[in-house]
Amino acid sequence: MALNKIEAPDANISYADAIDYWTGIPATVDGVLGGFGHTTLPKTDVKGSIAFLRRISRFYPEFEESGKKFGSRGCDVGAGIGRVTRDVLSKFCSKIDLVEPVVPFANQIRIELERKKVLDKLGDVLQIGMQDFTPEPENYWIIWCQWCLGQLKDAHLVEFLRRCKRGLQKDGLIFVKENNTSTLMDEFDNTDSSVTRADQSFRRIFDEAGLELLEAEVQQGLPHGLYPVRSYALRPKQDS
């Protein structure tokens, strides 16, 4: 008797279903953070991201030098309403392009940056899905992907990261900040048609994409009941 093949969790992802879900979510911090916008999560997340970026700059001086020598343009992928650009990347980058396919979120970006008086940091707003995004070669110092990669199927995520790798200027870095499962298994969420990946799954995908993991750290101080959140700093492998 033939055994039924068990589908990988990412096989259930539907890009159309994800867009439909997020289009119905309010274009607010509380909306994009799943109802945790009025908790300690936003400030804790921002503080952790800034500290992680500063630590990478300190321990990898070639990264900081790259920003000075070749420019410090950043790319905020799955940008939502621009929260990460507004509160984190604007402190490091001269200009930031934002990739966000959900129209209400993309329309809110300019308003959010203007509120914090960082509108001068706004580059282009690209209303396109990650699976279709191809950065210009050697264009970015930082490519930041946070709480969005779970919307991509594994194979598409590998290809996306390979394209991002080619979009980095010399000694630029890709930063990933995502939920991790507490087990070794990935989990599909039918609500927004996404996958939460185990840490080992991310590391396998990074390796397949030709990326070297420089540093990884778990975000501390988040509200109880959330998935663990881990930040990764990545650079192209020398032989890729």
Side-chain angles (χ1 to χ4, degrees), residues 26-30 32 79-87 90 98 104-119 122:
T28 62
V29 170
D30 195 51
V32 298
I81 62 173
R83 183 187 67 90
V84 170
T85 287
R86 183 192 69 188
D87 297 338
S90 63
L98 295 89
F105 292 175
N107 290 342
Q108 184 68 20
I109 287 170
R110 179 174 290 271
I111 297 169
E112 294 297 322
L113 300 191
E114 197 164 25
R115 281 178 181 167
K116 288 292 185 77
K117 296 181 170 51
V118 292
L119 190 58
L122 179 62

Side-chain angles (χ1 to χ4, degrees), residues 43-234:
K43 289 185 178 179
T44 301
D45 168 61
V46 166
K47 184 178 179 181
S49 295
I50 290 173
F52 189 63
L53 268 166
R54 286 176 175 163
R55 184 159 69 87
I56 295 300
S57 295
R58 185 167 65 252
F59 286 105
Y60 298 92
E62 63 273 24
F63 166 63
E64 186 170 14
E65 185 61 29
S66 172
K68 295 176 181 177
K69 186 175 181 180
F70 302 110
S72 56
R73 194 175 191 91
C75 183
D76 184 357
V77 178
I81 62 173
R83 183 187 67 90
V84 170
T85 287
R86 183 192 69 188
D87 297 338
V88 179
L89 297 181
S90 63
K91 302 180 188 307
F92 296 87
C93 300
S94 57
K95 288 286 183 183
I96 305 109
D97 296 333
L98 295 89
V99 179
E100 177 50 59
V102 178
V103 173
F105 292 175
N107 290 342
Q108 184 68 20
I109 287 170
R110 179 174 290 271
I111 297 169
E112 294 297 322
L113 300 191
E114 197 164 25
R115 281 178 181 167
K116 288 292 185 77
K117 296 181 170 51
V118 292
L119 190 58
D120 60 312
K121 297 297 184 76
L122 179 62
D124 297 322
V125 177
L126 307 170
Q127 293 187 31
I128 188 172
M130 293 174 285
Q131 69 276 14
D132 298 316
F133 173 58
T134 300
E136 294 181 17
E138 301 180 7
N139 193 39
Y140 294 116
W141 178 48
I142 289 173
I143 297 178
W144 188 278
C145 312
Q146 180 166 350
W147 286 329
C148 61
L149 299 185
Q151 306 288 169
L152 287 180
K153 297 181 179 183
D154 284 10
H156 292 167
L157 177 51
V158 171
E159 290 303 317
F160 165 76
L161 290 171
R162 286 173 178 166
R163 296 194 301 274
C164 286
K165 182 177 63 175
R166 294 190 289 270
L168 290 175
Q169 65 193 39
K170 180 176 169 53
D171 293 322
L173 298 178
I174 297 170
F175 291 86
V176 168
K177 189 169 187 179
E178 291 286 344
N179 293 347
N180 288 162
T181 61
S182 299
T183 67
L184 299 179
M185 304 296 293
D186 299 347
E187 299 174 6
F188 177 72
D189 187 344
N190 189 58
T191 304
D192 64 348
S193 195
S194 69
V195 164
T196 301
R197 293 182 170 91
D199 176 47
Q200 67 172 14
S201 296
F202 273 115
R203 292 172 186 253
R204 171 183 55 79
I205 286 169
F206 298 152
D207 185 63
E208 287 182 26
L211 293 169
E212 176 189 358
L213 178 60
L214 295 180
E215 300 281 346
E217 96 177 0
V218 175
Q219 173 71 60
Q220 302 297 320
L222 294 178
H224 180 71
L226 296 178
Y227 280 112
V229 176
R230 187 174 270 103
S231 297
Y232 305 89
L234 304 149

